[in-house]
Amino acid sequence: MKVTVVGGGIAGLTCALSLHAAGFEPRVCEAARTIEAVGVGINLLPHAVRELSELGLDRELDSVALPPARLSYRDRAGEVVWEEPLGRAAGYCWPQYSVHRGRLQMVLLSAVRDRLGPEAVRTGLLFQRFEQSAGGVRAHFLDRSSGLPLVDDADVLVGADGIDSVVRSRLYPGESPPKGNGVHMWRGIAPHPHVLDGRSIVVAGGTPGAKFVAYPIEDPATAVGDALVNWVLEVRHGPSAPPPEGPGRRVTAAEARAGLSSWQLPWIDLTALAECSSAIFEYPMLDRDPLPRWSFGRVTLLGDAAHPMYPMGMNGGSQSIVDTRVLAWCLARDDDPVDALRRYDRMRRPAVNAIVLANRALGPEEIISRAEEHGGALPAGWAERIATRYKRLGRATVAQVNTASSWTVRAIAADRE
């Protein structure tokens, strides 16, 4: 079976690896002329790391990422509100990873090219439209290098082209633009001495728009000099205000210093963080309303194309990775790709839509919002109930992840024998 994947980001590349591992012939079509190691930090939760490990990427991940051991929620003064262990420290069989998004993408790109061949990822192809027949789907692209149209025929078309997905727009031509909550994120990476123990994710503040996040994306024990720290400062522009100068506006060090000046966090030098960041960019916090359907015949969506969500629970990228594994499993299990995509839709969409809505309601970061209202640390058990409820929604508790059946297709072959 031939599968065309539109989008060469984390979701698209992992989709190609998942499909190849299941015995299919995927090819990735990316609009950018080149795929480069750009971006900021991302967290991969244990349920996603399990899937990447089953794809044989555990050593590569460990070489570029740091496994944090603790999540620390704090107030604006830097005092502890609540903490919990992460990854193996929490009892998972797999670690959690904090990693530079660009480095992760290069790991995935290298694996795709090694396993599928150098032509498996084609760049500079702008997706335009598709048409289906009883026997396949034809995708139309514009080749940015030649300016000529290109046609690609496959059995299945997967839209993995992000929050502004063109594939999604063809399925839902009347959909409104992404929705914002008025919060914008200033995101940067800087070399910095240890934050706390050097293996903690810190989320400080309270309500959205008044929050600071920091975590290392390099191991302080092995880095040459200070390790890279990913940081995010949330600022509020008003619910209806468009991003000043558009998304991805570059924030100056002076602006960052001014924005960070009201924060007094004794365990981090915020002025140095602003000064040492190679680049600081502003992005609006956006999502889209959950869809009633992802799969239409031989065409489906995954990742941010299907379920863009507010970054409240470190869950967007992780859910995208799980999407790819379930999609490959469904295609391997059903002889008819239309039935397989329908099954994938039923299995993934309701659960992930619930996470999108939960993130609008702050997800696990309800803990620091409640603590701000409460005036200090929450009563015993309150914070843990919020965190556990969110994990259960994504089937990501320790017990759920450690005991879940594998999506590896070998298990399906055994079931059929």
Side-chain angles (χ1 to χ4, degrees), residues 19-38:
L19 292 168
H20 176 260
F24 302 120
E25 300 175 51
R27 48 186 175 265
V28 177
C29 299
E30 165 59 37
R33 295 180 188 275
T34 59
I35 299 176
E36 300 176 340
V38 297

mmCIF file of all heavy atoms in Angstrom, residues 19-38:
data_model
loop_
_atom_site.group_PDB
_atom_site.id
_atom_site.type_symbol
_atom_site.label_atom_id
_atom_site.label_comp_id
_atom_site.label_asym_id
_atom_site.label_seq_id
_atom_site.Cartn_x
_atom_site.Cartn_y
_atom_site.Cartn_z
ATOM 1 N N LEU A 19 4.390 3.747 9.419
ATOM 2 C CA LEU A 19 3.835 3.048 8.259
ATOM 3 C C LEU A 19 4.847 2.073 7.659
ATOM 4 O O LEU A 19 4.507 0.943 7.283
ATOM 5 C CB LEU A 19 3.389 4.060 7.206
ATOM 6 C CG LEU A 19 2.181 4.922 7.586
ATOM 7 C CD1 LEU A 19 2.032 6.076 6.607
ATOM 8 C CD2 LEU A 19 0.911 4.087 7.637
ATOM 9 N N HIS A 20 6.105 2.499 7.592
ATOM 10 C CA HIS A 20 7.142 1.619 7.058
ATOM 11 C C HIS A 20 7.321 0.390 7.943
ATOM 12 O O HIS A 20 7.458 -0.739 7.447
ATOM 13 C CB HIS A 20 8.460 2.388 6.947
ATOM 14 C CG HIS A 20 9.609 1.552 6.490
ATOM 15 N ND1 HIS A 20 10.545 1.044 7.370
ATOM 16 C CD2 HIS A 20 9.968 1.117 5.260
ATOM 17 C CE1 HIS A 20 11.435 0.340 6.687
ATOM 18 N NE2 HIS A 20 11.108 0.367 5.421
ATOM 19 N N ALA A 21 7.308 0.604 9.250
ATOM 20 C CA ALA A 21 7.455 -0.522 10.175
ATOM 21 C C ALA A 21 6.299 -1.503 10.040
ATOM 22 O O ALA A 21 6.452 -2.697 10.334
ATOM 23 C CB ALA A 21 7.546 -0.012 11.611
ATOM 24 N N ALA A 22 5.139 -1.011 9.581
ATOM 25 C CA ALA A 22 3.971 -1.873 9.402
ATOM 26 C C ALA A 22 3.926 -2.517 8.023
ATOM 27 O O ALA A 22 2.973 -3.226 7.704
ATOM 28 C CB ALA A 22 2.696 -1.067 9.634
ATOM 29 N N GLY A 23 4.937 -2.241 7.194
ATOM 30 C CA GLY A 23 5.029 -2.896 5.898
ATOM 31 C C GLY A 23 4.486 -2.108 4.735
ATOM 32 O O GLY A 23 4.338 -2.669 3.634
ATOM 33 N N PHE A 24 4.223 -0.812 4.911
ATOM 34 C CA PHE A 24 3.659 0.009 3.845
ATOM 35 C C PHE A 24 4.744 0.836 3.158
ATOM 36 O O PHE A 24 5.905 0.835 3.577
ATOM 37 C CB PHE A 24 2.554 0.900 4.399
ATOM 38 C CG PHE A 24 1.443 0.132 5.055
ATOM 39 C CD1 PHE A 24 1.135 0.326 6.394
ATOM 40 C CD2 PHE A 24 0.721 -0.809 4.341
ATOM 41 C CE1 PHE A 24 0.124 -0.398 7.003
ATOM 42 C CE2 PHE A 24 -0.294 -1.542 4.942
ATOM 43 C CZ PHE A 24 -0.592 -1.338 6.278
ATOM 44 N N GLU A 25 4.345 1.558 2.113
ATOM 45 C CA GLU A 25 5.269 2.371 1.334
ATOM 46 C C GLU A 25 4.881 3.849 1.461
ATOM 47 O O GLU A 25 4.188 4.388 0.603
ATOM 48 C CB GLU A 25 5.229 1.953 -0.139
ATOM 49 C CG GLU A 25 5.604 0.507 -0.399
ATOM 50 C CD GLU A 25 5.421 0.149 -1.863
ATOM 51 O OE1 GLU A 25 5.944 0.898 -2.724
ATOM 52 O OE2 GLU A 25 4.747 -0.852 -2.150
ATOM 53 N N PRO A 26 5.322 4.502 2.523
ATOM 54 C CA PRO A 26 4.989 5.922 2.674
ATOM 55 C C PRO A 26 6.005 6.822 1.974
ATOM 56 O O PRO A 26 7.163 6.446 1.772
ATOM 57 C CB PRO A 26 5.054 6.122 4.180
ATOM 58 C CG PRO A 26 6.114 5.161 4.632
ATOM 59 C CD PRO A 26 5.996 3.961 3.704
ATOM 60 N N ARG A 27 5.564 7.991 1.586
ATOM 61 C CA ARG A 27 6.460 9.033 1.115
ATOM 62 C C ARG A 27 5.954 10.353 1.690
ATOM 63 O O ARG A 27 4.740 10.582 1.776
ATOM 64 C CB ARG A 27 6.533 9.063 -0.408
ATOM 65 C CG ARG A 27 5.204 9.032 -1.118
ATOM 66 C CD ARG A 27 5.385 8.913 -2.624
ATOM 67 N NE ARG A 27 4.122 8.764 -3.323
ATOM 68 C CZ ARG A 27 3.587 7.582 -3.683
ATOM 69 N NH1 ARG A 27 4.243 6.463 -3.388
ATOM 70 N NH2 ARG A 27 2.433 7.525 -4.316
ATOM 71 N N VAL A 28 6.889 11.193 2.082
ATOM 72 C CA VAL A 28 6.580 12.454 2.751
ATOM 73 C C VAL A 28 6.788 13.594 1.765
ATOM 74 O O VAL A 28 7.836 13.675 1.108
ATOM 75 C CB VAL A 28 7.472 12.644 3.996
ATOM 76 C CG1 VAL A 28 7.201 13.992 4.651
ATOM 77 C CG2 VAL A 28 7.252 11.499 4.989
ATOM 78 N N CYS A 29 5.807 14.489 1.683
ATOM 79 C CA CYS A 29 5.893 15.676 0.835
ATOM 80 C C CYS A 29 5.829 16.904 1.733
ATOM 81 O O CYS A 29 4.822 17.135 2.406
ATOM 82 C CB CYS A 29 4.764 15.696 -0.178
ATOM 83 S SG CYS A 29 4.770 14.290 -1.317
ATOM 84 N N GLU A 30 6.902 17.677 1.757
ATOM 85 C CA GLU A 30 7.044 18.833 2.644
ATOM 86 C C GLU A 30 7.118 20.116 1.825
ATOM 87 O O GLU A 30 7.822 20.174 0.809
ATOM 88 C CB GLU A 30 8.300 18.664 3.510
ATOM 89 C CG GLU A 30 8.802 19.896 4.219
ATOM 90 C CD GLU A 30 7.780 20.506 5.160
ATOM 91 O OE1 GLU A 30 7.027 19.760 5.826
ATOM 92 O OE2 GLU A 30 7.735 21.752 5.213
ATOM 93 N N ALA A 31 6.414 21.156 2.294
ATOM 94 C CA ALA A 31 6.373 22.415 1.559
ATOM 95 C C ALA A 31 7.688 23.187 1.642
ATOM 96 O O ALA A 31 8.077 23.858 0.683
ATOM 97 C CB ALA A 31 5.231 23.289 2.072
ATOM 98 N N ALA A 32 8.388 23.117 2.772
ATOM 99 C CA ALA A 32 9.643 23.851 2.915
ATOM 100 C C ALA A 32 10.682 23.301 1.940
ATOM 101 O O ALA A 32 10.705 22.107 1.634
ATOM 102 C CB ALA A 32 10.171 23.745 4.341
ATOM 103 N N ARG A 33 11.546 24.185 1.471
ATOM 104 C CA ARG A 33 12.594 23.755 0.531
ATOM 105 C C ARG A 33 13.617 22.849 1.207
ATOM 106 O O ARG A 33 14.206 21.964 0.577
ATOM 107 C CB ARG A 33 13.287 24.980 -0.067
ATOM 108 C CG ARG A 33 12.366 25.832 -0.934
ATOM 109 C CD ARG A 33 13.125 27.032 -1.479
ATOM 110 N NE ARG A 33 12.250 27.976 -2.154
ATOM 111 C CZ ARG A 33 11.871 27.895 -3.415
ATOM 112 N NH1 ARG A 33 12.290 26.892 -4.163
ATOM 113 N NH2 ARG A 33 11.069 28.809 -3.941
ATOM 114 N N THR A 34 13.886 23.097 2.476
ATOM 115 C CA THR A 34 14.798 22.261 3.252
ATOM 116 C C THR A 34 14.217 22.041 4.641
ATOM 117 O O THR A 34 13.449 22.877 5.138
ATOM 118 C CB THR A 34 16.202 22.898 3.390
ATOM 119 O OG1 THR A 34 16.070 24.172 4.030
ATOM 120 C CG2 THR A 34 16.867 23.071 2.032
ATOM 121 N N ILE A 35 14.572 20.932 5.252
ATOM 122 C CA ILE A 35 14.179 20.654 6.630
ATOM 123 C C ILE A 35 15.396 20.903 7.505
ATOM 124 O O ILE A 35 16.429 20.241 7.346
ATOM 125 C CB ILE A 35 13.667 19.218 6.787
ATOM 126 C CG1 ILE A 35 12.435 18.998 5.899
ATOM 127 C CG2 ILE A 35 13.334 18.920 8.240
ATOM 128 C CD1 ILE A 35 11.910 17.576 5.909
ATOM 129 N N GLU A 36 15.284 21.867 8.409
ATOM 130 C CA GLU A 36 16.429 22.287 9.214
ATOM 131 C C GLU A 36 16.132 22.114 10.694
ATOM 132 O O GLU A 36 14.966 22.055 11.112
ATOM 133 C CB GLU A 36 16.782 23.743 8.902
ATOM 134 C CG GLU A 36 17.159 23.983 7.441
ATOM 135 C CD GLU A 36 17.414 25.450 7.151
ATOM 136 O OE1 GLU A 36 16.957 26.300 7.928
ATOM 137 O OE2 GLU A 36 18.077 25.739 6.131
ATOM 138 N N ALA A 37 17.206 22.067 11.486
ATOM 139 C CA ALA A 37 17.082 21.860 12.933
ATOM 140 C C ALA A 37 16.773 23.181 13.623
ATOM 141 O O ALA A 37 17.622 23.788 14.279
ATOM 142 C CB ALA A 37 18.360 21.248 13.491
ATOM 143 N N VAL A 38 15.538 23.650 13.475
ATOM 144 C CA VAL A 38 15.133 24.914 14.065
ATOM 145 C C VAL A 38 14.051 24.655 15.102
ATOM 146 O O VAL A 38 13.472 23.572 15.185
ATOM 147 C CB VAL A 38 14.612 25.887 12.992
ATOM 148 C CG1 VAL A 38 15.723 26.233 12.013
ATOM 149 C CG2 VAL A 38 13.417 25.299 12.251
#
